Amino acid sequence: MIIRMKKNASEEDVKKVEQRIEEVGLRASVSRGESLVIIGVIGDVTMLPEDRIEEIPGVETIMRVSKPYKLISREFNPVDRTVAIGKKKTGAGSFIFIAGPCAVESRDQLLTTARIVKKLSCDVLRGGAFKPRTSPYEFQGLGETALKYLKEAKEETGLPVVTEVTGEDKIELIMKYADVLQIGARNMRSYDLLKQIGKRTAETKTPVLLKRGDNATVEEFLNAAEYIAKEGNENIMLCLRGIRTFESGKYFRNTADIGMIPVLKKETGLPVIFDPSHSAGKRDLVPSYSMAAVAAGADGLIIETHYNPETAMCDGQQSLSEDELANTISLCRQLLTDIRKFQLR
Ligand code: PEP
Ligand code: MN
C-alpha cells in the first residue's frame, strides 16, 4: 500500500500516518521527494483499515501496489533514484565506471591495476577477494588478504571498492573493507544471504550491487532486490551480466541482456549497471557491448581489467588491458555526451 501525502501536508500528518501503520504491527517507509511525501506500508496490509488513514487531513491518496516487488517499484516510488558511492553517484543522470580485475591475485597485481583504473578516471575499483568458481580446483581468491590489498589500493588511489560477498559468514568481514557489497549471479537466489545483507546494512545503507542470475526472469531479479530492500536497505544497484540461452558460448559467454536495461528502468527507479565482461566473455566484444549498454540507458558499467590480462588467474580472456580500457571508456564518454546533448534538444 502506498500513501501519497498532499503537497501542503504537515510533518505532524506524516507522523500520524506512520503511527497508525505501526500501531497494527506494520512498517512505514517514508520517501521524501522535492515536493512529495510518499509512505509505503510494509507487511500484511489487510491489518490496516483504510479509513483510519483516510481520515488524516494531509493524506491525498491511498493506492494498493500490484507489483510483488513493492519497495523498489516505480509504482511505489516514481522517482529515479541515486546510489552514492563515496563522493560519486549513479542513477538519475549520473553515470559511473567501475573497473578492476576479476580477482585480486597479489598486492602488485592489484595496485598496478588500481593505478590504471585511477588514471583513466574511473569511479570505483572492483576486485574479487572470495571467488565463486565453477570448479573447486580453480583459484578461489585470496580471501582476507585480498581485502587488505583492496584497502591499501583504496588508500592510495582514493577509489571506493566493490567486492563480492559469497556467503553469510563473510558479511561482517567484508563490510569492514568494502564500500559496495556485490552479490554474484550465482547467489541471486540465495535468499538467506539477501536477507542477511539487507539486515546488516539497514543502518549503514552500504550500497549493494546485485547481479542478475544467469537464468532469472525480470520478476525473479526484482524480487531478489526486494528481499534486500525489505530488510531496510534500498541502496541497490541492479547489475545485468548476460544470461544463458541456446547459444553454446562459442561466440560469446552469456547473451547480452541489454534489452532489459529500459525494462528495469521502467519497473524501478534503481540504477542499472551493465557488466559487458561476463556477458561478452571475450575482450574484443567489450567496447561494443559497453556502448550498447550506454545507449540503452545504463547508469554505469563494471568492466574487468588487468595490467597484463594474459597472466590473469581468472577471466583473463575477457579482461581489458590499459589501452583497451582507455579506448572503451573514451567511446562511452563520447556517447554519453552525445546522448545528453540529444536529450537536451
Ligand atoms: C564477477 O564479477 O567476477 C563474477 C563472478 O560475476 P558473476 O556473478 O556475474 O558471474
Ligand atoms: Mn570475473
Side-chain angles (χ1 to χ4, degrees), residues 101-103 126 128 131-132 164 182-187 211-212 241 253 275 278 302 304 314-315 318:
C102 176
R126 64 152 287 152
K131 292 305 301 175
E164 182 170 347
Q182 175 175 327
I183 301 174
R186 292 162 184 80
N187 269 320
K211 288 190 149 192
R212 180 189 187 187
R241 40 79 75 206
R253 187 167 171 184
D275 173 345
H278 291 86
I302 177 166
E304 286 187 340
C314 186
D315 287 349
Q318 67 193 34

Side-chain angles (χ1 to χ4, degrees), residues 19 48 82 84 88 124 159 186 233 236 241 274 278 309 337:
Q19 259 168 21
L48 187 65
T82 56
K88 302 295 175 77
V124 182
L159 291 168
R186 292 162 184 80
N233 184 8
I236 304 164
R241 40 79 75 206
F274 191 73
H278 291 86
T337 312

Side-chain angles (χ1 to χ4, degrees), residues 164-183:
E164 182 170 347
V165 181
T166 48
E168 285 177 60
D169 56 336
K170 301 188 183 72
I171 302 174
E172 228 67 73
L173 174 69
I174 294 174
M175 278 183 74
K176 284 194 210 140
Y177 295 92
D179 299 280
V180 179
L181 307 179
Q182 175 175 327
I183 301 174

Side-chain angles (χ1 to χ4, degrees), residues 114 117-118 121-125 150 153-161 179:
V117 171
K118 175 68 184 179
S121 308
C122 293
D123 307 293
V124 182
L125 175 68
L150 283 167
K154 177 184 171 175
E155 279 164 5
E156 188 193 303
T157 60
L159 291 168
V161 299
D179 299 280

